[in-house]
Structure formats: structure tokens, C-alpha cells
Amino acid sequence: MNVPTMADMMAQGKQPEVLFWVGAAGSYDDRAKKISRAFVKILHQANVDFAVLGTEESSTGDAAKRAGNEFLFQMQAMMNIEVLNGYEVKKIVTCDPHSFNTLKNEYPSLGGKYEVFHHTQFIQNLISEGRLKINDSSILKGKRVTFHDPCYLGRANDVYESPRDLIKRLGVNLTEMKRHKSTALCCGAGGAQMFKDAEKGDKEINVLRTEDALETKPQIIATGCPYCNTMMTDGIKFKEKEAEVVVKDIAELIAEANNL
């Protein structure tokens, strides 16, 4: 796949329209890499001039901050801000709501001021500008879909409509869980919980959230976050429903609909 780095662009004296912030999950996790690839295919189809940082991209520091290590967060943030400002980056898009929230809300006070988009917002903009069209997909048409709101996209940043708008364009049957939008339940991975053992209780939170989803009798659980994707997929495995239900990022569904 043709994915230029900012260093390549700089060497050619070019400035891309947008920087794609891949994030830790999208870079290293085999399942999340598929989301990154699907989004890159969409960017190519819409002829978006973009670049990534490549090996110069480091963790945003989100997990360190949520786990209480403010010192490590600021070190990671300052290092990233130095790189981003060195490349004169103005606009960033990411598939990871954790990175989205941190770059958008926590970097400005440290000197990192950027226009930051979640990939569902960015794709919605491409559609409204006439640069991208979502095909009516015979593969997805009429499928029963439910959408899980990522905490850092929904409750933290009030972004509820762009993912739903994209899902509705796929010609699917969208059914909301009883806990959705501002009352949506966390998948269990936010706040650095992804990296620690579960606390005492009678049920894992991702299993509880998967039960919410299964009540809608979905064929597809749509997500907008690689960590939610992992947690919901694990929940589906726990419930032994892999044969009936798949967990897909919205970018993957759009890439599938457009035969990318």
C-alpha cells in the first residue's frame, strides 16, 4: 500500500492535506491493522493527499495519563508535539478515539494546537464535499447492525451522529442498544483498563456490553475504536457467537461496501 511519511513529503517540499495518526493499536495489533488499511483505502479512493509519521510516531501518552503517570504523559506529549510542529502539521485524522481525545483536548495546553478529526467525521466531510461516495452494497444491504459508542468519541467529545450517519448510508438496518449515545456503557478498555487485570466482580464489563449488543439480535456490531473492537470481539467469543455475529469498524464496512 502506498503510504507516504511526513519525512518523504518534506524531502519533496510537499505538505499533505492531513496527517493520519495511526496510533498504537492501528500500528501493532494485527486486528486493528485491518482498520488502518481499510481507512487508507478510503483515503486513496477519495484522492486525499495524506501522510503518516511512521517510525517518528510515538504513543500519545493517553494510557500513561489515565493510569496516573502525568510525568510520563507530558514527556510523550512534548516529544510528539516537537515532531508535529517541526513538520508544521495543521490537520490530523485518527481511527483511535483515545488519540483523538488526547490530541484534541490535552495537547493544546502543551503547545500542540491542531485541527483533529475522528475518521468517521473525516469520512463524513469527504462525502459532503463530494469526494467520496458510499455504494449501496448488496453484501451489507438489510443486515442487522448495532453501533457501540466509544467513550472517548461519544461522552467525552459529543460525537454521536457522524458514525450513525455513515452506517445508515450503507443501507443496513441499524438498531440501537438500550444504552446508547450519552448513556452508552464503556466496553471496558478505556482509562488504561485495557492493560490491567479485572477488579473483583461477577462479570467482565466487556461481556456485559456484549450482552447489551446481543439483545438487538445483530449480525454486525459496528465500532469506531480499535480497543472497543477487541473488547467486543472477546465478548462475542466468550458468548460463543462468532458464527452469527461479526465485529467491524465503520471504516471496514465502508471499504467493503465500496469493494476496496
Side-chain angles (χ1 to χ4, degrees), residues 76-115:
Q76 289 182 299
M78 296 302 281
M79 196 163 64
N80 285 325
I81 288 165
E82 200 175 318
V83 173
L84 291 166
N85 290 354
Y87 283 125
E88 296 178 5
V89 169
K90 301 282 185 289
K91 195 188 273 195
I92 301 174
V93 62
T94 181
C95 299
D96 173 17
H98 297 241
S99 298
F100 168 70
N101 179 65
T102 307
L103 293 165
K104 181 173 182 276
N105 299 322
E106 286 160 356
Y107 274 31
S109 63
L110 299 169
K113 295 182 172 69
Y114 319 105
E115 199 181 355

Side-chain angles (χ1 to χ4, degrees), residues 219-232:
Q219 290 165 289
I220 299 167
I221 298 171
T223 65
C225 169
Y227 299 101
C228 296
N229 194 300
T230 298
M231 299 305 266
M232 301 303 279

